[in-house]
Amino acid sequence: DAKTTQPNSMESNEEEPVHLPCNHSTISGTDYIHWYRQLPSQGPEYVIHGLTSNVNNRMASLAIAEDRKSSTLILHRATLRDAAVYYCILRDTTGTASKLTFGTGTRLQVTL
Amino acid sequence: DTEVTQTPKHLVMGMTNKKSLKCEQHMGHRAMYWYKQKAKKPPELMFVYSYEKLSINESVPSRFSPECPNSSLLNLHLHALQPEDSALYLCASSQEGQGAISGYTFGSGTRLTVV
């Protein structure tokens, strides 16, 4: 599986934007970039995914570098409820069964 | 229904007990997964079922036995576990098939303690 590299932790002030980086220099052409987050005492939650173009949804935006070797998850206005571990994962969708392999993720702290 | 439901939420079992974890989804997803998560660590994949057939076993010890009775249900049978098997067990589901690019939906997990 192609690997991702994320900072261990980041801090943000409430109401400010947060940019969570992810490096994936060995990404292949069939890998989708997925982001999940895990709040304390809960299962992971899907946030967003993309292949080549930038993506927006109600939770976040995903900016993908032109060479696809890195991506950035953007939370436009962080709230205390966004404090979680954020995982950047490459999902290979070739074959009939694919697997989602979690890396160590970035622990986001949001303060008042 | 857009949820994955796991029962029980908490389970304490002795090393000689046999117990089962259950997972249910009604989203029409044909791929289902078991993950194990130790404290402060990322989830680790254990098993993948695709169209009710076991497609991936990540070298999990035989004391963990998965079962997929139908497309909506996934069980994990536990027998002769060790204290180090204590963890949060997460079930997930997703659309499957070549080219499927949907996200996974996770349940909130079963917190297992082996005594």
Side-chain angles (χ1 to χ4, degrees):
Chain A
D1 294 328
K3 290 195 178 296
T4 62
T5 305
Q6 299 177 254
N8 288 334
S9 63
M10 292 183 65
E11 288 187 18
S12 172
N13 294 323
E14 199 177 23
E15 304 291 322
E16 290 187 357
V18 181
H19 290 233
L20 297 164
C22 181
N23 288 320
H24 29 78
S25 58
T26 59
I27 190 170
S28 74
T30 54
D31 286 335
Y32 280 78
I33 302 160
H34 282 239
W35 284 82
Y36 287 76
R37 71 179 186 180
Q38 188 170 21
L39 279 67
S41 302
Q42 294 188 26
E45 175 187 26
Y46 166 81
V47 177
I48 200 167
H49 77 275
L51 183 63
T52 56
S53 303
N54 294 345
V55 184
N56 300 299
N57 67 21
R58 64 174 179 80
M59 291 182 70
S61 295
L62 176 60
I64 301 172
E66 197 169 332
D67 64 4
R68 299 206 332 123
K69 293 183 186 298
S70 65
S71 61
T72 302
L73 180 71
I74 302 164
L75 307 179
H76 295 286
R77 289 178 64 204
T79 69
L80 296 177
R81 288 179 297 178
D82 291 321
V85 179
Y86 287 78
Y87 295 101
C88 168
I89 305 167
L90 300 183
R91 185 178 180 194
D92 178 6
T93 57
T94 57
T96 56
S98 60
K99 53 184 185 179
L100 208 66
T101 303
F102 287 80
T104 53
T106 296
R107 184 172 298 276
L108 176 65
Q109 291 181 292
V110 180
T111 54
L112 293 170
Chain B
D1 188 351
T2 59
E3 289 187 345
V4 172
T5 303
Q6 290 189 245
T7 54
K9 295 204 180 304
H10 300 272
L11 178 63
V12 179
M13 62 183 290
M15 289 188 284
T16 58
N17 291 158
K18 286 185 181 180
K19 295 287 184 183
S20 297
L21 309 184
K22 295 187 185 304
C23 174
E24 189 168 3
Q25 58 88 14
H26 297 285
M27 295 176 281
H29 289 173
R30 302 307 297 273
M32 297 186 75
Y33 313 80
W34 280 114
Y35 283 82
K36 172 182 177 179
Q37 186 174 26
K38 302 283 276 186
K40 299 195 183 302
K41 297 290 187 182
E44 295 178 359
L45 182 67
M46 300 175 72
F47 302 104
V48 179
Y49 272 83
S50 178
Y51 294 93
E52 296 92 69
K53 289 186 173 21
L54 182 65
S55 60
I56 297 175
N57 176 343
E58 294 284 53
S59 302
V60 178
S62 60
R63 57 185 185 269
F64 296 92
S65 175
E67 178 197 22
C68 189
N70 60 55
S71 60
S72 299
L73 293 175
L74 185 66
N75 299 321
L76 186 62
H77 303 297
L78 314 173
H79 174 54
L81 295 194
Q82 303 297 310
E84 57 264 30
D85 295 322
S86 299
L88 180 67
Y89 287 84
L90 293 160
C91 175
S93 70
S94 72
Q95 293 178 9
E96 197 49 276
Q98 197 163 6
I101 59 170
S102 63
Y104 285 34
T105 303
F106 282 83
S108 54
T110 294
R111 188 160 299 281
L112 174 68
T113 303
V114 181
V115 297

